[in-house]
Amino acid sequence: MKKTLFKMTMGLSIMVLAAQQVQARTCAPREDVVKRLAETYGETRKVIGIARQGAVMEVYASAASGSWTITVTLPDGVTCLIASGQSYEDMAEALPPNI
């Protein structure tokens, strides 16, 4: 499962780097974003990874509601919402035998 999460994190990191070029983002101090995700959506952090230039990519999700959010926190402490959606599921897939 850890290797699957790692691969997902790497793929999401690439998406995050591309998304950082988008000008219209919703950003706020990290503590405000985390509090709102918890209070409004019941989301907690499920995945974390380091992107370029010291940015931190995180996936927050709620197993109860299925909602999920991808955030990027910049070194200055500002967190931007990158993507969100529904139907989040924890996965524990077995790796193919040759990996």
Coordinates of all heavy atoms in Angstrom, one line a residue:
M1 N 0.8 -1.2 0.0 CA 0.0 0.0 0.0 C 0.9 1.3 0.0 O 0.5 2.2 -0.7 CB -0.9 0.0 1.2 CG -1.8 1.2 1.2 SD -3.0 1.1 2.5 CE -3.3 2.8 2.9
K2 N 2.0 1.2 0.7 CA 2.8 2.4 0.8 C 3.4 2.7 -0.6 O 3.5 3.9 -1.0 CB 3.9 2.2 1.8 CG 3.5 2.3 3.2 CD 4.6 2.2 4.2 CE 4.0 2.3 5.6 NZ 5.1 2.2 6.6
K3 N 3.8 1.7 -1.4 CA 4.3 1.9 -2.7 C 3.2 2.5 -3.6 O 3.5 3.3 -4.4 CB 4.9 0.6 -3.3 CG 6.2 0.2 -2.6 CD 6.8 -1.0 -3.3 CE 8.1 -1.4 -2.6 NZ 8.7 -2.5 -3.2
T4 N 2.0 2.0 -3.5 CA 0.9 2.5 -4.3 C 0.7 4.0 -3.9 O 0.5 4.8 -4.8 CB -0.4 1.7 -4.0 OG1 -0.2 0.4 -4.4 CG2 -1.5 2.3 -4.8
L5 N 0.7 4.3 -2.6 CA 0.5 5.7 -2.2 C 1.7 6.6 -2.7 O 1.5 7.7 -3.1 CB 0.4 5.8 -0.7 CG -0.9 5.3 -0.1 CD1 -0.9 5.4 1.4 CD2 -2.1 6.1 -0.6
F6 N 2.9 6.0 -2.7 CA 4.0 6.7 -3.2 C 3.8 7.1 -4.7 O 4.1 8.2 -5.1 CB 5.3 6.0 -3.0 CG 6.5 6.6 -3.6 CD1 7.1 7.7 -2.9 CD2 7.1 6.2 -4.7 CE1 8.2 8.4 -3.4 CE2 8.2 6.8 -5.3 CZ 8.8 7.9 -4.6
K7 N 3.4 6.1 -5.5 CA 3.2 6.3 -6.9 C 2.1 7.3 -7.1 O 2.2 8.2 -8.0 CB 2.9 5.0 -7.6 CG 4.0 4.0 -7.7 CD 3.6 2.8 -8.4 CE 4.8 1.8 -8.5 NZ 4.4 0.6 -9.2
M8 N 1.0 7.2 -6.3 CA 0.0 8.2 -6.5 C 0.5 9.6 -6.1 O 0.1 10.6 -6.8 CB -1.2 7.8 -5.6 CG -2.0 6.6 -6.0 SD -3.3 6.1 -4.8 CE -4.1 7.6 -4.4
T9 N 1.3 9.7 -5.1 CA 1.8 11.0 -4.7 C 2.7 11.6 -5.7 O 2.6 12.8 -6.0 CB 2.7 10.8 -3.4 OG1 1.8 10.3 -2.3 CG2 3.2 12.1 -2.9
M10 N 3.5 10.7 -6.4 CA 4.4 11.2 -7.5 C 3.5 11.7 -8.6 O 3.8 12.8 -9.2 CB 5.3 10.1 -7.9 CG 6.3 9.7 -6.9 SD 7.2 11.1 -6.1 CE 8.2 11.6 -7.5
G11 N 2.5 11.0 -9.0 CA 1.6 11.5 -10.1 C 0.9 12.8 -9.7 O 0.8 13.7 -10.5
L12 N 0.4 12.8 -8.5 CA -0.2 14.1 -8.0 C 0.8 15.2 -8.0 O 0.4 16.3 -8.2 CB -0.9 13.8 -6.6 CG -2.1 12.9 -6.6 CD1 -2.5 12.6 -5.2 CD2 -3.2 13.5 -7.4
S13 N 2.0 14.9 -7.6 CA 3.0 16.0 -7.6 C 3.2 16.6 -8.9 O 3.3 17.8 -9.1 CB 4.3 15.5 -7.0 OG 4.2 15.1 -5.7
I14 N 3.2 15.8 -10.0 CA 3.4 16.3 -11.3 C 2.2 17.2 -11.7 O 2.3 18.3 -12.2 CB 3.5 15.1 -12.3 CG1 4.8 14.4 -12.1 CG2 3.4 15.6 -13.8 CD1 5.0 13.1 -12.8
M15 N 1.0 16.7 -11.3 CA -0.2 17.5 -11.5 C -0.2 18.8 -10.8 O -0.5 19.9 -11.3 CB -1.5 16.7 -11.1 CG -2.8 17.4 -11.4 SD -4.2 16.5 -10.9 CE -4.1 16.5 -9.1
V16 N 0.3 18.8 -9.5 CA 0.4 20.0 -8.7 C 1.4 21.0 -9.3 O 1.1 22.2 -9.4 CB 0.9 19.6 -7.3 CG1 1.3 20.8 -6.5 CG2 -0.2 18.9 -6.6
L17 N 2.5 20.5 -9.8 CA 3.5 21.4 -10.5 C 2.8 22.1 -11.7 O 3.1 23.3 -11.9 CB 4.7 20.6 -10.9 CG 5.5 20.1 -9.7 CD1 6.7 19.3 -10.2 CD2 6.0 21.3 -8.8
A18 N 2.1 21.4 -12.4 CA 1.4 22.0 -13.6 C 0.3 23.0 -13.1 O 0.2 24.1 -13.7 CB 0.8 20.9 -14.5
A19 N -0.4 22.6 -12.1 CA -1.4 23.5 -11.6 C -0.9 24.7 -10.9 O -1.6 25.7 -10.9 CB -2.3 22.7 -10.5
Q20 N 0.4 24.7 -10.5 CA 0.9 25.9 -9.9 C 1.0 27.1 -10.9 O 1.1 28.2 -10.5 CB 2.3 25.6 -9.3 CG 2.3 24.8 -8.0 CD 3.6 24.5 -7.5 OE1 4.6 24.5 -8.2 NE2 3.7 24.3 -6.2
Q21 N 1.0 26.8 -12.2 CA 1.0 27.8 -13.2 C -0.3 28.5 -13.3 O -0.4 29.6 -13.9 CB 1.4 27.2 -14.5 CG 2.8 26.5 -14.5 CD 3.9 27.3 -14.0 OE1 4.0 28.5 -14.4 NE2 4.7 26.8 -13.0
V22 N -1.4 28.0 -12.8 CA -2.7 28.6 -13.0 C -2.8 29.8 -12.1 O -2.4 29.7 -10.9 CB -3.8 27.6 -12.6 CG1 -5.2 28.2 -12.6 CG2 -3.7 26.4 -13.5
Q23 N -3.3 30.9 -12.6 CA -3.3 32.1 -11.8 C -4.5 32.2 -10.8 O -4.3 32.8 -9.8 CB -3.4 33.3 -12.8 CG -2.1 33.5 -13.7 CD -0.9 33.7 -12.8 OE1 -0.9 34.4 -11.9 NE2 0.2 33.0 -13.2
A24 N -5.6 31.7 -11.2 CA -6.8 31.8 -10.3 C -6.9 30.6 -9.4 O -7.4 29.6 -9.7 CB -8.1 31.8 -11.2
R25 N -6.3 30.8 -8.2 CA -6.3 29.8 -7.1 C -7.0 30.3 -5.9 O -7.0 31.5 -5.6 CB -4.9 29.3 -6.8 CG -4.2 28.7 -8.0 CD -2.8 28.2 -7.5 NE -2.0 29.4 -7.3 CZ -0.7 29.3 -7.4 NH1 0.0 28.2 -7.6 NH2 0.1 30.4 -7.2
T26 N -7.5 29.4 -5.1 CA -8.0 29.8 -3.8 C -6.9 29.5 -2.8 O -6.6 28.3 -2.6 CB -9.3 29.0 -3.5 OG1 -10.3 29.3 -4.5 CG2 -9.9 29.4 -2.1
C27 N -6.4 30.5 -2.1 CA -5.3 30.3 -1.2 C -5.6 31.1 0.1 O -6.3 32.1 0.1 CB -4.0 30.9 -1.8 SG -3.5 30.1 -3.4
A28 N -5.0 30.5 1.2 CA -5.2 31.1 2.5 C -4.1 30.5 3.4 O -3.4 29.6 3.0 CB -6.5 30.8 3.1
P29 N -3.9 31.1 4.6 CA -2.9 30.5 5.5 C -3.3 29.0 5.8 O -4.5 28.7 5.9 CB -3.1 31.3 6.8 CG -3.6 32.7 6.3 CD -4.5 32.3 5.1
R30 N -2.3 28.2 5.9 CA -2.5 26.7 6.0 C -3.4 26.4 7.2 O -4.3 25.6 7.0 CB -1.1 26.0 6.2 CG -1.3 24.5 6.2 CD 0.0 23.8 6.4 NE -0.2 22.3 6.3 CZ -0.6 21.6 7.3 NH1 -0.9 22.1 8.4 NH2 -0.8 20.3 7.1
E31 N -3.2 27.0 8.3 CA -4.1 26.6 9.5 C -5.6 26.9 9.2 O -6.4 26.1 9.6 CB -3.6 27.3 10.8 CG -3.5 28.8 10.7 CD -2.2 29.4 10.2 OE1 -1.3 28.6 9.7 OE2 -2.1 30.6 10.2
D32 N -5.8 27.9 8.4 CA -7.2 28.3 8.1 C -7.8 27.2 7.1 O -9.0 26.8 7.3 CB -7.3 29.7 7.5 CG -7.0 30.8 8.4 OD1 -6.9 30.5 9.6 OD2 -6.7 31.9 7.9
V33 N -7.0 26.8 6.2 CA -7.5 25.8 5.2 C -7.7 24.5 5.9 O -8.8 23.8 5.7 CB -6.4 25.7 4.0 CG1 -6.8 24.5 3.1 CG2 -6.3 27.0 3.2
V34 N -6.8 24.0 6.7 CA -6.9 22.7 7.4 C -8.1 22.7 8.3 O -8.9 21.8 8.3 CB -5.6 22.4 8.1 CG1 -5.8 21.2 9.0 CG2 -4.5 22.2 7.2
K35 N -8.3 23.8 9.0 CA -9.5 23.9 9.9 C -10.8 23.9 9.1 O -11.7 23.2 9.5 CB -9.4 25.3 10.7 CG -10.5 25.4 11.6 CD -10.4 26.7 12.4 CE -11.5 26.9 13.4 NZ -11.4 28.2 14.1
R36 N -10.8 24.6 8.0 CA -12.1 24.6 7.2 C -12.4 23.2 6.6 O -13.5 22.7 6.6 CB -12.0 25.6 6.1 CG -13.2 25.6 5.2 CD -13.5 26.8 4.5 NE -14.8 26.7 3.8 CZ -15.3 27.5 3.0 NH1 -14.7 28.6 2.8 NH2 -16.4 27.3 2.4
L37 N -11.3 22.5 6.1 CA -11.5 21.2 5.5 C -12.0 20.2 6.6 O -12.9 19.4 6.3 CB -10.2 20.7 4.9 CG -9.7 21.4 3.7 CD1 -8.3 20.8 3.3 CD2 -10.7 21.2 2.5
A38 N -11.5 20.3 7.8 CA -12.0 19.5 8.9 C -13.4 19.8 9.3 O -14.2 18.9 9.5 CB -11.0 19.6 10.1
E39 N -13.7 21.1 9.6 CA -15.0 21.5 10.1 C -16.1 21.4 9.1 O -17.2 21.0 9.4 CB -14.9 22.9 10.6 CG -14.1 23.0 11.9 CD -13.9 24.4 12.4 OE1 -14.4 25.4 11.8 OE2 -13.3 24.6 13.5
T40 N -15.8 21.8 7.8 CA -16.9 21.8 6.8 C -17.1 20.5 6.1 O -18.2 20.1 5.9 CB -16.5 22.9 5.7 OG1 -16.3 24.1 6.4 CG2 -17.6 23.0 4.7
Y41 N -16.0 19.7 5.9 CA -16.1 18.5 5.1 C -15.7 17.3 5.9 O -15.8 16.2 5.3 CB -15.2 18.6 3.8 CG -15.6 19.8 3.0 CD1 -14.8 21.0 3.0 CD2 -16.7 19.8 2.2 CE1 -15.2 22.1 2.3 CE2 -17.1 20.9 1.4 CZ -16.3 22.0 1.5 OH -16.7 23.1 0.7
G42 N -15.2 17.4 7.1 CA -14.7 16.2 7.9 C -13.5 15.6 7.3 O -13.2 14.4 7.5
E43 N -12.7 16.3 6.5 CA -11.5 15.8 5.9 C -10.3 15.9 6.8 O -10.1 16.8 7.5 CB -11.2 16.5 4.6 CG -12.3 16.3 3.5 CD -12.1 17.0 2.2 OE1 -11.0 17.6 2.0 OE2 -13.0 16.9 1.4
T44 N -9.5 14.8 6.7 CA -8.2 14.8 7.4 C -7.1 14.4 6.4 O -7.4 13.8 5.3 CB -8.2 13.7 8.5 OG1 -8.5 12.4 8.0 CG2 -9.2 14.1 9.6
R45 N -5.9 14.7 6.7 CA -4.8 14.4 5.8 C -4.6 12.9 5.6 O -4.5 12.2 6.6 CB -3.5 15.1 6.3 CG -2.4 14.9 5.3 CD -1.2 15.7 5.7 NE -0.7 15.4 7.0 CZ 0.2 16.0 7.7 NH1 0.8 17.1 7.2 NH2 0.6 15.6 8.9
K46 N -4.5 12.5 4.4 CA -4.3 11.1 4.0 C -2.9 10.8 3.3 O -2.4 9.7 3.5 CB -5.4 10.6 3.1 CG -6.8 10.8 3.6 CD -7.0 9.9 4.9 CE -8.5 10.1 5.4 NZ -8.7 9.3 6.6
V47 N -2.4 11.8 2.6 CA -1.2 11.7 1.8 C -0.4 13.0 1.9 O -1.0 14.0 1.9 CB -1.5 11.4 0.3 CG1 -0.3 11.3 -0.5 CG2 -2.4 10.1 0.2
I48 N 0.9 12.9 1.9 CA 1.8 14.0 1.9 C 3.0 13.8 1.0 O 3.4 12.6 0.9 CB 2.2 14.4 3.3 CG1 2.9 15.8 3.3 CG2 3.0 13.3 4.0 CD1 3.2 16.3 4.7
G49 N 3.4 14.8 0.3 CA 4.6 14.6 -0.5 C 5.3 16.0 -0.7 O 4.6 17.0 -0.6
I50 N 6.6 16.0 -1.0 CA 7.3 17.2 -1.2 C 7.4 17.4 -2.7 O 7.8 16.6 -3.5 CB 8.7 17.1 -0.6 CG1 8.7 16.8 0.9 CG2 9.5 18.4 -0.9 CD1 8.0 17.8 1.7
A51 N 7.1 18.7 -3.2 CA 7.1 19.0 -4.6 C 8.4 20.0 -4.7 O 9.1 20.1 -3.8 CB 5.9 19.7 -5.0
R52 N 8.5 20.5 -5.9 CA 9.6 21.4 -6.2 C 9.6 22.7 -5.3 O 8.5 23.1 -4.9 CB 9.6 21.8 -7.6 CG 10.0 20.7 -8.6 CD 10.1 21.3 -9.9 NE 10.4 20.2 -10.9 CZ 10.4 20.3 -12.2 NH1 10.1 21.4 -12.7 NH2 10.7 19.2 -12.9
Q53 N 10.8 23.2 -5.1 CA 10.9 24.5 -4.4 C 10.4 24.5 -3.0 O 9.9 25.5 -2.5 CB 10.4 25.7 -5.3 CG 11.0 25.8 -6.6 CD 10.4 26.8 -7.5 OE1 9.3 27.3 -7.2 NE2 11.0 27.1 -8.6
G54 N 10.4 23.4 -2.4 CA 9.9 23.3 -1.0 C 8.4 23.3 -0.8 O 8.0 23.4 0.3
A55 N 7.6 23.1 -1.8 CA 6.2 23.1 -1.7 C 5.8 21.7 -1.1 O 6.4 20.7 -1.4 CB 5.5 23.3 -3.0
V56 N 4.7 21.7 -0.4 CA 4.2 20.4 0.2 C 2.8 20.1 -0.4 O 1.9 21.0 -0.3 CB 4.1 20.5 1.7 CG1 3.5 19.2 2.3 CG2 5.5 20.8 2.3
M57 N 2.7 19.0 -1.0 CA 1.4 18.6 -1.6 C 0.8 17.6 -0.5 O 1.4 16.7 0.0 CB 1.6 17.8 -2.9 CG 0.4 17.4 -3.6 SD -0.4 15.8 -3.0 CE 0.9 14.7 -3.0
E58 N -0.5 17.8 -0.3 CA -1.3 17.0 0.7 C -2.6 16.7 0.1 O -3.2 17.4 -0.7 CB -1.5 17.7 2.0 CG -0.2 18.1 2.7 CD -0.4 19.0 3.9 OE1 -0.8 20.2 3.6 OE2 -0.2 18.6 5.0
V59 N -3.1 15.5 0.4 CA -4.5 15.0 0.0 C -5.2 14.9 1.3 O -4.8 14.1 2.2 CB -4.5 13.7 -0.8 CG1 -5.9 13.3 -1.1 CG2 -3.7 13.9 -2.1
Y60 N -6.3 15.6 1.4 CA -7.2 15.5 2.6 C -8.5 14.7 2.1 O -8.9 14.9 0.9 CB -7.6 16.9 3.1 CG -6.5 17.6 3.8 CD1 -5.5 18.2 3.0 CD2 -6.4 17.5 5.1 CE1 -4.5 18.9 3.7 CE2 -5.3 18.2 5.8 CZ -4.4 18.8 5.0 OH -3.3 19.4 5.7
A61 N -9.1 13.9 2.9 CA -10.3 13.2 2.5 C -11.1 12.8 3.7 O -10.6 12.7 4.8 CB -9.9 11.9 1.7
S62 N -12.3 12.5 3.4 CA -13.3 12.0 4.5 C -13.8 10.6 4.0 O -14.5 10.5 3.0 CB -14.4 13.0 4.6 OG -15.5 12.4 5.4
A63 N -13.5 9.6 4.8 CA -14.1 8.3 4.5 C -15.6 8.3 4.6 O -16.3 7.5 3.9 CB -13.4 7.2 5.4
A64 N -16.1 9.1 5.5 CA -17.5 9.1 5.8 C -18.3 9.7 4.6 O -19.3 9.1 4.2 CB -17.8 9.9 7.1
S65 N -17.9 10.8 4.1 CA -18.6 11.5 3.0 C -18.0 11.2 1.6 O -18.7 11.4 0.6 CB -18.6 13.0 3.2 OG -17.3 13.5 3.0
G66 N -16.8 10.8 1.6 CA -16.1 10.5 0.3 C -15.5 11.7 -0.4 O -15.0 11.6 -1.5
S67 N -15.6 12.9 0.3 CA -15.0 14.1 -0.3 C -13.5 14.0 -0.2 O -13.0 13.4 0.7 CB -15.6 15.3 0.3 OG -15.2 15.5 1.7
W68 N -12.8 14.7 -1.1 CA -11.4 14.8 -1.1 C -10.9 16.2 -1.6 O -11.6 16.8 -2.4 CB -10.7 13.7 -1.9 CG -11.1 13.6 -3.3 CD1 -12.1 12.8 -3.8 CD2 -10.5 14.3 -4.4 NE1 -12.2 13.0 -5.2 CE2 -11.2 13.9 -5.6 CE3 -9.5 15.2 -4.5 CZ2 -10.9 14.4 -6.8 CZ3 -9.2 15.8 -5.8 CH2 -9.9 15.3 -6.9
T69 N -9.7 16.6 -1.2 CA -9.2 17.9 -1.6 C -7.7 17.7 -1.7 O -7.0 17.1 -0.8 CB -9.5 19.0 -0.6 OG1 -10.9 19.0 -0.4 CG2 -8.9 20.3 -1.0
I70 N -7.1 18.2 -2.8 CA -5.6 18.3 -2.9 C -5.2 19.7 -2.7 O -5.7 20.7 -3.3 CB -5.2 17.9 -4.4 CG1 -5.6 16.4 -4.6 CG2 -3.7 18.0 -4.5 CD1 -5.4 16.0 -6.1
T71 N -4.2 19.9 -1.8 CA -3.7 21.2 -1.5 C -2.2 21.3 -1.8 O -1.5 20.2 -1.8 CB -3.9 21.6 0.0 OG1 -3.1 20.7 0.8 CG2 -5.4 21.5 0.4
V72 N -1.6 22.5 -2.0 CA -0.2 22.7 -2.0 C 0.1 23.8 -1.1 O -0.5 24.9 -1.1 CB 0.3 23.1 -3.4 CG1 1.7 23.5 -3.4 CG2 0.1 21.9 -4.4
T73 N 1.0 23.6 -0.2 CA 1.5 24.6 0.8 C 2.8 25.1 0.3 O 3.8 24.3 0.2 CB 1.5 24.1 2.2 OG1 0.2 23.6 2.6 CG2 1.9 25.2 3.2
L74 N 3.0 26.4 0.1 CA 4.2 27.0 -0.3 C 5.1 27.3 0.9 O 4.6 27.3 2.1 CB 3.9 28.3 -1.1 CG 3.0 28.1 -2.3 CD1 2.6 29.4 -2.9 CD2 3.6 27.2 -3.3
P75 N 6.4 27.5 0.8 CA 7.3 27.7 1.9 C 6.9 28.9 2.8 O 7.2 28.9 4.0 CB 8.6 28.0 1.2 CG 8.6 27.2 0.0 CD 7.1 27.4 -0.5
D76 N 6.1 29.8 2.3 CA 5.7 31.0 3.1 C 4.5 30.7 4.0 O 4.0 31.5 4.7 CB 5.4 32.2 2.2 CG 4.3 32.0 1.3 OD1 3.6 31.0 1.3 OD2 4.0 33.0 0.5
G77 N 4.0 29.4 3.9 CA 2.8 29.0 4.7 C 1.5 29.2 4.1 O 0.5 28.9 4.7
V78 N 1.4 29.7 2.9 CA 0.2 29.9 2.2 C -0.2 28.5 1.5 O 0.6 27.9 0.8 CB 0.3 31.0 1.1 CG1 -1.0 31.0 0.3 CG2 0.5 32.3 1.8
T79 N -1.4 28.1 1.7 CA -1.9 26.9 1.2 C -2.9 27.2 0.1 O -3.8 28.0 0.3 CB -2.6 26.0 2.3 OG1 -1.6 25.6 3.2 CG2 -3.2 24.7 1.7
C80 N -2.8 26.5 -1.1 CA -3.7 26.7 -2.2 C -4.5 25.4 -2.5 O -3.9 24.3 -2.4 CB -2.9 27.1 -3.4 SG -2.1 28.7 -3.2
L81 N -5.7 25.6 -2.8 CA -6.6 24.4 -3.1 C -6.3 24.2 -4.6 O -6.4 25.0 -5.5 CB -8.0 24.7 -2.9 CG -8.4 25.0 -1.5 CD1 -9.9 25.4 -1.4 CD2 -8.1 23.9 -0.5
I82 N -6.0 22.9 -5.0 CA -5.6 22.5 -6.3 C -6.8 21.8 -7.0 O -7.1 22.1 -8.1 CB -4.4 21.7 -6.4 CG1 -3.2 22.4 -5.7 CG2 -4.0 21.3 -7.8 CD1 -2.8 23.7 -6.4
A83 N -7.4 20.9 -6.3 CA -8.5 20.1 -6.8 C -9.3 19.5 -5.7 O -8.8 19.4 -4.6 CB -8.0 19.0 -7.7
S84 N -10.6 19.2 -6.0 CA -11.4 18.5 -5.0 C -12.5 17.7 -5.7 O -12.7 17.9 -6.9 CB -12.1 19.5 -4.1 OG -13.0 20.4 -4.8
G85 N -13.1 16.8 -5.0 CA -14.1 15.9 -5.6 C -14.7 15.0 -4.6 O -14.6 15.2 -3.4
Q86 N -15.4 14.0 -5.2 CA -16.1 13.0 -4.4 C -15.6 11.6 -4.7 O -14.8 11.4 -5.6 CB -17.6 13.1 -4.7 CG -18.2 14.4 -4.3 CD -18.2 14.6 -2.8 OE1 -18.5 13.7 -2.1 NE2 -17.9 15.8 -2.4
S87 N -16.2 10.6 -3.9 CA -15.9 9.2 -4.1 C -14.5 8.8 -3.7 O -13.9 7.9 -4.3 CB -16.2 8.8 -5.6 OG -17.6 9.0 -5.9
Y88 N -13.9 9.4 -2.7 CA -12.6 9.0 -2.2 C -12.8 7.6 -1.5 O -13.7 7.3 -0.8 CB -12.1 10.0 -1.1 CG -10.9 9.5 -0.4 CD1 -9.7 9.7 -1.0 CD2 -10.9 8.8 0.8 CE1 -8.5 9.3 -0.5 CE2 -9.7 8.4 1.4 CZ -8.5 8.6 0.7 OH -7.4 8.1 1.3
E89 N -11.8 6.7 -1.8 CA -11.7 5.4 -1.2 C -10.2 5.1 -0.8 O -9.3 5.4 -1.6 CB -12.2 4.3 -2.2 CG -13.6 4.4 -2.5 CD -14.0 3.2 -3.4 OE1 -13.5 2.1 -3.2 OE2 -14.9 3.5 -4.3
D90 N -10.0 4.6 0.4 CA -8.7 4.0 0.7 C -8.5 2.8 -0.1 O -9.4 1.9 -0.2 CB -8.6 3.7 2.2 CG -8.5 5.0 3.0 OD1 -7.7 5.9 2.6 OD2 -9.1 5.0 4.1
M91 N -7.3 2.7 -0.7 CA -7.0 1.5 -1.5 C -5.8 0.7 -0.9 O -4.9 1.3 -0.4 CB -6.6 1.9 -2.9 CG -7.7 2.7 -3.7 SD -9.1 1.9 -4.1 CE -8.5 0.8 -5.4
A92 N -5.9 -0.6 -0.9 CA -4.8 -1.4 -0.5 C -4.5 -2.5 -1.6 O -4.7 -3.7 -1.3 CB -5.1 -2.1 0.8
E93 N -4.1 -2.0 -2.7 CA -3.9 -2.9 -3.9 C -2.6 -3.6 -3.7 O -1.6 -3.0 -3.3 CB -4.0 -2.1 -5.2 CG -5.4 -1.6 -5.5 CD -5.4 -0.8 -6.8 OE1 -4.4 -0.5 -7.3 OE2 -6.5 -0.5 -7.2
A94 N -2.5 -4.8 -4.1 CA -1.3 -5.6 -4.2 C -0.5 -5.1 -5.4 O -1.0 -4.8 -6.4 CB -1.5 -7.1 -4.3
L95 N 0.9 -5.0 -5.2 CA 1.7 -4.6 -6.3 C 1.9 -5.8 -7.3 O 1.8 -7.0 -6.9 CB 3.1 -4.3 -5.8 CG 3.2 -3.0 -5.0 CD1 4.6 -2.8 -4.4 CD2 2.8 -1.8 -5.8
P96 N 2.1 -5.5 -8.6 CA 2.3 -6.6 -9.6 C 3.6 -7.3 -9.1 O 4.5 -6.8 -8.5 CB 2.6 -5.8 -10.9 CG 1.9 -4.5 -10.7 CD 2.0 -4.2 -9.2
P97 N 3.7 -8.6 -9.4 CA 4.8 -9.5 -9.0 C 6.2 -9.0 -9.4 O 7.1 -9.4 -8.7 CB 4.4 -10.8 -9.5 CG 3.4 -10.6 -10.6 CD 2.7 -9.3 -10.3
N98 N 6.3 -8.3 -10.5 CA 7.7 -7.9 -11.0 C 8.1 -6.6 -10.5 O 9.1 -6.0 -11.1 CB 7.7 -8.0 -12.5 CG 7.5 -9.4 -13.0 OD1 7.9 -10.3 -12.3 ND2 6.9 -9.6 -14.1
I99 N 7.5 -6.0 -9.5 CA 8.0 -4.6 -9.1 C 8.8 -4.7 -7.9 O 8.6 -5.5 -7.0 CB 6.8 -3.7 -8.9 CG1 6.2 -3.4 -10.3 CG2 7.2 -2.4 -8.2 CD1 5.1 -2.4 -10.3

